[in-house]
Amino acid sequence: MQNSIFIVLGLVLLIAGGNWLLKSAVALSMRLNIPKIVIGMTVVSFATSAPELIVSIKSALEGFPDLALGNVVGSNIANIGLVLGITVILGSIDVNKSFYTTDWPVMMIASALFFGFIYFDGVLVRYEGLLMVTFLFLFLVYLLRFQKPAVVDELPEDDEPLPLYKTVLFLGIGGVALWGGSELLINGAVGLATLYGVSERVIGVTVVSVGTSIPELAASIIAVIKKEKAISLGNLIGSNIFNILAVLGITSIITPVKVLDQGLLRNDIFWMLGISFIILPLVFFPKGLRLGWRDGIILVGLYVTFVYFTLG
């Protein structure tokens, strides 16, 4: 009963937090005259990746490295398959060329970097973490200096400037609500999952990863409802980049992260690479530079298949 209450409270906090975070992100992009895609890939992505960071560091320090790794790998799969899938089923997204010239390639490079570091020796060590964090820093510098909007904002006249104190307040409250909601959700979900004797890695790539992806889902659905699609797409791509480079980078700087369950290297990591790659052809086919409801059904279908085979 306690686990169920944690899950419900967690969901309420996450949805409210997503709304507050979106308000602050829009206001911030207007105040600083920064393209919304950049705000989505930095401020919103970092705030919605905070649960993964907290969970991964805590898991690695307490001797549960598979939970730390499974959480990030599963979260990246869920962000694309589940969250982006549901988002584009609710409303199509028109994409400009900077999506495939900058954002998607960086996500793939980050994924390939992680694969190269972990696949051959099964461990992420401090210098690899430092390289990942350095790459993230360079990417953020590039974003803030050169990035153009990667999606079209349909209702720019909808945006309202907020006083600075309100922007900071919404950002802080939204971030805290997302963090608190994720903590409650994870505690409840893991409590329920462990009753069934499921392995640490499987809990990480399914239950915990979906729990920590709910901030992205909440922020993205609210963004689509409010026609702020630049933030919903930027948030998801940015979140995947942050998950790998910041979450695993910072975690492995603090303590080496070693793979215990080989299923992560045999199965999960290839799903992560595959589902990240598939966005590119989906953006071009059947309609050029657009993600629509058919693409959403394909992505959700892939995610359900991944969960089925992982649990099976």
Side-chain angles (χ1 to χ4, degrees):
M1 183 64 187
Q2 185 188 29
N3 290 327
S4 302
I5 292 168
F6 280 174
I7 289 171
V8 173
L9 285 175
L11 285 169
V12 170
L13 276 175
L14 289 167
I15 292 164
N19 198 11
W20 290 324
L21 202 65
L22 184 73
K23 280 185 181 178
S24 67
V26 173
L28 203 59
S29 69
M30 292 177 67
R31 182 173 289 275
L32 301 177
N33 202 25
I34 294 172
K36 285 181 188 166
I37 189 80
V38 178
I39 295 291
M41 293 185 73
T42 53
V43 178
V44 180
S45 297
F46 192 78
T48 56
S49 288
E52 283 91 341
L53 182 61
I54 294 159
V55 169
S56 291
I57 291 173
K58 191 177 172 188
S59 302
L61 287 172
E62 291 179 2
F64 303 111
D66 278 349
L67 195 57
L69 290 165
N71 169 39
V72 169
V73 172
S75 245
N76 278 20
I77 296 167
N79 279 350
I80 306 271
L82 187 65
V83 180
L84 182 60
I86 289 171
T87 302
V88 296
I89 286 171
L90 293 175
S92 61
I93 294 176
D94 291 314
V95 184
N96 284 344
K97 73 171 187 177
S98 53
F99 163 78
Y100 61 83
T101 57
T102 306
D103 311 328
W104 180 85
V106 170
M107 180 175 67
M108 291 308 299
I109 291 166
S111 301
L113 195 65
F114 166 54
F115 178 83
F117 286 160
I118 198 88
Y119 188 75
F120 300 102
D121 61 1
V123 63
L124 273 182
V125 293
R126 183 167 287 130
Y127 81 88
E128 291 169 336
L130 283 167
L131 286 172
M132 290 160 86
V133 171
T134 303
F135 180 46
L136 176 66
F137 175 75
L138 293 173
F139 171 57
L140 292 180
V141 169
Y142 168 79
L143 262 191
L144 293 170
R145 290 196 63 184
F146 304 112
Q147 177 72 300
K148 299 284 189 287
V151 262
V152 178
D153 180 17
E154 291 184 349
L155 293 174
E157 71 279 0
D158 235 20
D159 306 336
E160 289 180 20
L162 290 174
L164 184 59
Y165 80 92
K166 273 194 177 179
T167 304
V168 174
L169 187 67
F170 280 137
L171 189 64
I173 294 172
V176 169
L178 288 170
W179 173 78
S182 295
E183 283 288 292
L184 286 171
L185 187 75
I186 293 157
N187 288 338
V190 172
L192 286 177
T194 47
L195 290 175
Y196 297 96
V198 182
S199 82
E200 183 189 313
R201 168 200 145 239
V202 171
I203 289 173
V205 295
T206 54
V207 179
V208 177
S209 69
V210 170
T212 55
S213 286
I214 283 185
E216 283 87 348
L217 182 60
S220 293
I221 287 175
I222 290 162
V224 165
I225 290 167
K226 296 191 172 181
K227 306 291 185 185
E228 299 291 353
K229 294 178 186 177
I231 288 180
S232 65
L233 184 62
N235 172 37
L236 293 176
I237 297 166
S239 198
N240 277 17
I241 295 167
F242 268 80
N243 282 348
I244 294 172
L245 300 179
V247 175
L248 289 179
I250 292 168
T251 304
S252 56
I253 288 169
I254 293 168
T255 179
V257 187
K258 188 176 174 64
V259 176
L260 299 179
D261 186 336
Q262 293 302 307
L264 192 96
L265 299 180
R266 286 196 308 266
N267 180 67
D268 309 340
I269 201 164
F270 289 103
W271 273 97
M272 185 190 81
L273 290 168
I275 210 160
S276 298
F277 176 80
I278 205 170
I279 308 176
L280 191 66
L282 288 179
V283 161
F284 288 101
F285 304 105
K287 290 184 178 178
L289 294 178
R290 168 173 282 208
L291 287 170
W293 64 270
R294 292 180 186 86
D295 304 310
I297 289 169
I298 291 169
L299 290 171
V300 173
L302 284 170
Y303 184 74
V304 170
T305 307
F306 160 71
V307 171
Y308 175 79
F309 280 113
T310 303
L311 293 176

